[in-house]
Amino acid sequence: MQTPSKTSQLGRPRTPRLSRKAIGRAALEMFEEEESLSIPRLAERLGVRQSSFYKHVTGRQEIIELARGALVERAPMPELPSGSLDDVIREIFDSLRKAYGLVPALLPLLLTQPVSHPAALERYDRFVEAFEIAGAPRHLIIPALEALDSASIGASLDAMTMESAWSINEEEEGTYPHLFAAKKAVAEHPVDRFAFLADVLSAGLRAAIDDD
């Protein structure tokens, strides 16, 4: 009786070592931990050769898009209210801001390419549906989503930085009296800047839709 070769005994692995989903998840983790994307380092994380990637992706941009899909996978889909446009706007803004806040280092790269990952497109499709149910004119939905997306990315990056964008000491009060007074006022009466931004977006988009 012929003894099976070592190769036939081992056989093929039951699950592929590399997949598009695995690449996306590993890329997202790299952005979290290293705040950058390196293809050689990503291959090292996954225990494969760099050339193996190109059986699954066309290049760096597609890896970034797979990371976007992994981010969508990690961020829970919000319970979108029906019927209230203001509530829909606030909920979408809040969900986007929280999702983007998970991995801020990825955001500048997401801004450089259109959304094409199926999971991300499906989520935006749900957002559009919520706008439609709330009565928003169809031709204003994409501009509204773009505004919410831009504002939520900005808010997520802002959350990483200093509490105040202006540095003024008391000796400079006479030089910049209006700015100094405004900073003093907000220190005495703190405002949740993200809730405030959501209110501004809601009011502005509602006004634009009502005036259409």
Side-chain angles (χ1 to χ4, degrees):
M1 182 175 179
Q2 186 176 0
T3 303
S5 67
K6 185 175 181 181
T7 302
S8 63
Q9 285 178 333
L10 293 175
R12 293 186 177 183
R14 293 185 179 181
T15 57
R17 192 174 191 182
L18 197 62
S19 68
R20 288 171 61 82
K21 182 169 283 190
I23 292 170
R25 289 174 176 172
L28 188 67
E29 290 172 1
M30 175 170 278
F31 278 112
E32 277 186 289
E33 297 169 14
E34 303 182 22
E35 299 186 351
S36 64
L37 176 64
S38 161
I39 305 300
R41 290 279 297 113
L42 185 59
E44 184 181 331
R45 277 175 171 261
L46 288 164
V48 299
R49 294 184 179 183
Q50 188 175 338
S51 59
S52 299
F53 283 122
Y54 301 104
K55 298 177 183 178
H56 301 272
V57 298
T58 56
R60 182 182 177 86
Q61 285 189 319
E62 194 167 2
I63 292 174
I64 292 168
E65 197 61 22
L66 290 174
R68 188 201 302 268
L71 178 61
V72 170
E73 182 183 74
R74 184 182 299 181
M77 177 67 191
E79 290 291 334
L80 294 173
S82 59
S84 170
L85 183 58
D86 291 333
D87 289 343
V88 167
I89 290 169
R90 287 186 175 88
E91 191 63 43
I92 290 176
F93 169 73
D94 195 49
S95 67
L96 287 171
R97 181 178 66 82
K98 288 177 179 177
Y100 289 140
L102 294 173
V103 192
L106 177 62
L107 303 187
L109 295 175
L110 293 184
L111 290 170
T112 65
Q113 59 191 58
V115 180
S116 62
H117 193 281
L121 291 173
E122 182 181 357
R123 183 155 300 189
Y124 281 108
D125 189 69
R126 295 279 301 279
F127 290 163
V128 171
E129 181 185 23
F131 268 107
E132 290 174 340
I133 292 172
R138 184 163 285 172
H139 68 284
L140 292 181
I141 294 176
I142 292 298
L145 274 180
E146 289 172 337
L148 290 170
D149 223 18
S150 297
S152 57
I153 287 175
S156 299
L157 292 173
D158 187 45
M160 298 171 58
T161 62
M162 56 280 177
E163 184 64 26
S164 175
W166 299 275
S167 176
I168 307 173
N169 56 46
E170 292 185 1
E171 289 73 21
E172 295 174 304
E173 179 178 0
T175 307
Y176 315 106
H178 305 291
L179 185 56
F180 187 89
K183 277 181 56 66
K184 184 177 179 181
V186 79
E188 294 171 349
H189 305 280
V191 174
D192 183 327
R193 51 184 169 170
F194 300 126
F196 179 77
L197 178 55
D199 289 341
V200 170
L201 287 167
S202 178
L205 292 173
R206 160 61 75 182
I209 289 170
D210 288 346
D211 290 343
D212 182 64

